[in-house]
Amino acid sequence: MSTACVLVAAGSGTRLAAGSPKAFVVLDGRPLLVHAVERVLRAGVCDQLVLVVPDGRQQESTALVSGLPGAGGVVLRAVAGGVDRRSSVAAGLAALGDDVDVVLVHDAARCLTPPEQVLEVERAVRAGAPAVVPGVAVTDTVRAVAARAGGAAGPVDRASLRLVQTPQGFRRDVLEQAHGAAAEHGLPQALAATDDASLVELLGTPVTVVPGREEAFKVTRPLDLALASAVLAQEGA
Ligand code: C5P
């Protein structure tokens, strides 16, 4: 029995507009990918790490992280990602070793996720939850706009909402079944799913929410890089 992390890092980073794929954008002298892997390794729970990167950057990616503290004891692989996040996760799943029974799926874009969050998600799966996501409370007022005909418009009770982060943790069989079903049936809900927990839930598996952390925000837009830089400066202070 062992735990693997599938780190998806194959996004183009169009919204970041930094001129290179997002995971390779440099923050404080190191690519986001390296910051993300460093924190995953510090959690000390992963026996395998699969980096899902833009095609052609596999070797470069393993070279970037293989010397990090803790990498020595971890089976490291890099594979090419797909056209969307879901197919990138599927590519990572296909590269897992046989003995893996728990999978953490993590966005490289959440590059400053504290190791404690990785640890807590893994522990919750090991404790028996088939699917676990970290979530943080919503602080803004939220309003639904009727994006689709018949959709309800109006204020939404934010107390019942959580912003969902990664890593998301799963029993391997549950996650593989969800991805298999999504690929096979191409259901509209599966195509619209923006994370793995949503896919798993389509099969009726309950999803457990554990407390997330603000530092696990996703670097998406240029302002997020400024925030990430400030977080690093605070860590080093
Ligand atoms: O696009 P978004 O920011 O939601 O992507 C979340 C994560 O999924 C990022 O770490 C990104 O690199 C990854 N991704 C991927 N393959 C894609 C699209 C996104 O690995 N085709």
Side-chain angles (χ1 to χ4, degrees):
M1 292 200 312
S2 69
T3 298
C5 177
V6 171
L7 188 79
V8 283
S12 60
T14 312
R15 288 167 295 184
L16 197 55
S20 58
K22 184 158 55 180
F24 296 87
V25 170
V26 172
L27 169 68
D28 206 20
R30 302 191 304 165
L32 299 191
L33 174 76
V34 175
H35 287 285
V37 171
E38 196 214 349
R39 282 161 166 72
V40 168
L41 292 174
R42 271 179 21 210
V45 294
C46 295
D47 309 288
Q48 297 190 20
L49 176 59
V50 180
L51 308 176
V52 186
V53 297
D55 196 15
R57 302 196 79 151
Q58 294 91 318
Q59 258 194 323
E60 171 193 355
S61 301
T62 44
L64 276 170
V65 305
S66 57
L68 289 173
V74 173
V75 176
L76 190 61
R77 295 191 180 93
V79 298
V83 290
D84 54 19
R85 187 184 182 282
R86 182 166 62 87
S87 52
S88 288
V89 174
L93 288 178
L96 294 180
D98 289 341
D99 53 333
V100 172
D101 63 336
V102 170
V103 182
L104 307 180
V105 182
H106 190 32
D107 291 339
R110 297 185 187 276
C111 58
L112 301 185
T113 301
E116 294 78 14
Q117 183 153 314
V118 180
L119 183 72
E120 285 165 15
V121 168
E122 202 263 353
R123 288 228 169 115
V125 182
R126 289 265 167 231
V132 178
V133 301
V136 292
V138 176
T139 52
D140 285 322
T141 295
V142 181
R143 169 169 288 270
V145 292
R148 283 168 296 158
V156 177
D157 176 15
R158 70 182 178 197
S160 67
L161 300 179
R162 294 293 177 271
L163 299 174
V164 171
Q165 305 177 326
T166 68
Q168 300 191 346
F170 304 93
R171 255 181 27 215
R172 178 187 186 166
D173 59 326
V174 164
L175 185 60
E176 285 184 336
Q177 203 188 351
H179 273 269
E184 195 178 328
H185 305 305
L187 296 171
Q189 304 98 300
L191 296 177
T194 52
D195 72 348
D196 299 279
S198 309
L199 288 183
V200 159
E201 213 158 37
L202 285 176
L203 297 185
T205 304
V207 173
T208 301
V209 181
V210 297
R213 288 175 173 77
E214 282 183 35
E215 295 86 344
F217 67 94
K218 188 168 60 136
V219 172
T220 305
R221 301 187 185 89
L223 187 62
D224 300 322
L225 273 181
L227 178 60
S229 194
V231 172
L232 281 177
Q234 202 182 32
E235 275 183 6

